Amino acid sequence: MIKNNAASMISKIRDAANQVIVTELHKHGVDNIVPSHGDILTFLYQQDGLSVKELAHKIRRKQPTVTVLVDKLVKLGYVQRTKMEEDTRVTRVMLTEKGRQLEPVFREVSDKLNKTLYGGLDNTEQEQLEALLDRILRSF
Amino acid sequence: MIKNNAASMISKIRDAANQVIVTELHKHGVDNIVPSHGDILTFLYQQDGLSVKELAHKIRRKQPTVTVLVDKLVKLGYVQRTKMEEDTRVTRVMLTEKGRQLEPVFREVSDKLNKTLYGGLDNTEQEQLEALLDRILRSF
DNA sequence: TCTATATACATAGACATCTATGTATCATAG
DNA sequence: CTATGATACATAGATGTCTATGTATATAGA
């Protein structure tokens, strides 16, 4: 019997996942960070020196939002801004040593979250889940 | 092949769903309303006169957040506050006539959203989706 | 009855996020 | 080469959400 409550459940899972992220980071001594900050750092671990615009696209937030998020990461000492010499309009966001040191923490938090999300499902169900979510996402 | 991107996809779907809600409400001439306001009205359609505390629990927001959300709904003329006579600490939130007139709009928006979420899935897949989401939710 | 604790809501301040706009730099047409 | 439009980022103001705290009312114990 279909309950048509997927929207509600997805919203609840999103909130719960964000709370896991914040709580786990806190356990590792990382505070004053929201998931969006984590998203930025995670993309920088994959490719350091991304521009504000590129980061905005990747984390799906507007550019002014990213400017503010980066302000905070700078203040916390995790990243620094440098200008691109070919085009000084562009700001590269670069990890600091302190920022790089957080990489294993983010890996652990990510693993912990995925264990919660996927842990109760067998392989077939995990594939079903991803396939269904992917199809829903494409329907928007 | 599992991609471990359920968290990301769920977050994207949540954002997209919220955007559908805001956009559809706008098409029906309802503006300055966010999904949380809609959640409050939806619960009031089921049971009018809920208290601030009850609403906070139902929409999974903190009590001060609900106070502010209700402030706005009052300002927009959709609800009004009344005190409970048995316990004057308690504020009942009651729909106004203008608020009740929105009920069919919310029903349409909800239908539209569910069509987007469920429309590309057959019956079996819809049941799979809800079952998987439900199990994930319980694992938190 | 009077005082202490609990409860319900409101208020204040912080912060993430948005839209709108400003500022500086780049590219290009004349 | 200069002026005009485009682009990248920052700033300002609004709003939803949170935590911390205040205020008023209810309840319970002395």
Side-chain angles (χ1 to χ4, degrees), chain A residues 44-62:
Chain A
L44 291 178
Y45 294 139
Q46 292 172 25
Q47 184 181 350
D48 199 9
L50 290 166
S51 72
V52 172
K53 182 183 179 181
E54 289 167 335
L55 283 170
H57 179 252
K58 283 177 185 292
I59 75 168
R60 305 184 329 279
R61 294 287 165 256
K62 301 298 177 186

Side-chain angles (χ1 to χ4, degrees), chain B residues 6-107:
Chain B
S8 165
M9 288 196 288
I10 283 171
S11 189
K12 287 181 189 171
I13 292 170
R14 216 285 292 246
D15 288 350
N18 278 354
Q19 189 152 356
V20 165
I21 292 169
V22 171
T23 303
E24 289 298 312
L25 285 173
H26 176 74
K27 281 186 196 166
H28 287 82
V30 180
D31 285 298
N32 304 315
I33 285 286
V34 297
S36 287
H37 294 117
D39 289 342
I40 288 178
L41 292 174
T42 300
F43 280 111
L44 291 178
Y45 294 140
Q46 292 172 25
Q47 184 181 349
D48 199 9
L50 289 166
S51 73
V52 171
K53 182 183 178 180
E54 289 166 336
L55 283 170
H57 179 254
K58 283 177 186 293
I59 75 168
R60 306 184 329 279
R61 294 287 164 255
K62 300 299 176 183
Q63 170 265 311
T65 300
V66 173
T67 290
V68 174
L69 291 169
V70 170
D71 282 347
K72 181 158 188 178
L73 289 173
V74 168
K75 195 177 298 176
L76 292 172
Y78 297 132
V79 305
Q80 58 189 17
R81 281 185 236 251
T82 56
K83 283 289 180 188
M84 243 178 83
E85 54 290 343
E86 311 94 273
D87 185 341
T88 61
R89 292 173 305 178
V90 179
T91 300
R92 284 184 186 285
V93 181
M94 313 274 295
L95 289 162
T96 61
E97 185 51 36
K98 184 177 175 188
R100 275 204 196 78
Q101 286 171 357
L102 283 189
E103 185 168 5
V105 172
F106 276 97
R107 202 176 299 277

Side-chain angles (χ1 to χ4, degrees), chain A residues 57-128:
Chain A
H57 179 252
K58 283 177 185 292
I59 75 168
R60 305 184 329 279
R61 294 287 165 256
K62 301 298 177 186
Q63 170 264 311
T65 301
V66 172
T67 290
V68 175
L69 291 168
V70 170
D71 282 347
K72 182 158 187 178
L73 290 173
V74 169
K75 194 177 299 177
L76 292 171
Y78 297 131
V79 305
Q80 58 190 17
R81 281 184 236 250
T82 55
K83 282 290 180 187
M84 243 178 83
E85 53 291 344
E86 310 94 274
D87 185 342
T88 61
R89 292 173 304 179
V90 179
T91 300
R92 284 185 186 285
V93 181
M94 313 273 295
L95 290 162
T96 61
E97 185 51 37
K98 183 177 176 187
R100 275 203 196 79
Q101 286 172 356
L102 282 190
E103 186 169 5
V105 173
F106 275 96
R107 202 176 298 278
E108 281 183 47
V109 172
S110 173
D111 288 349
K112 170 93 174 203
L113 176 58
N114 281 328
K115 273 203 190 71
T116 304
L117 288 171
Y118 289 90
L121 312 180
D122 65 31
N123 252 38
T124 306
E125 291 167 334
Q126 292 177 7
E127 284 180 10
Q128 276 178 2

Side-chain angles (χ1 to χ4, degrees), chain A residues 8-9 12-13 16, chain B residues 132-140:
Chain A
S8 165
M9 288 195 289
K12 286 181 189 170
I13 292 170
Chain B
L132 288 169
L133 293 176
D134 189 62
R135 279 168 60 194
I136 290 171
L137 208 41
R138 289 176 200 279
S139 71
F140 277 95

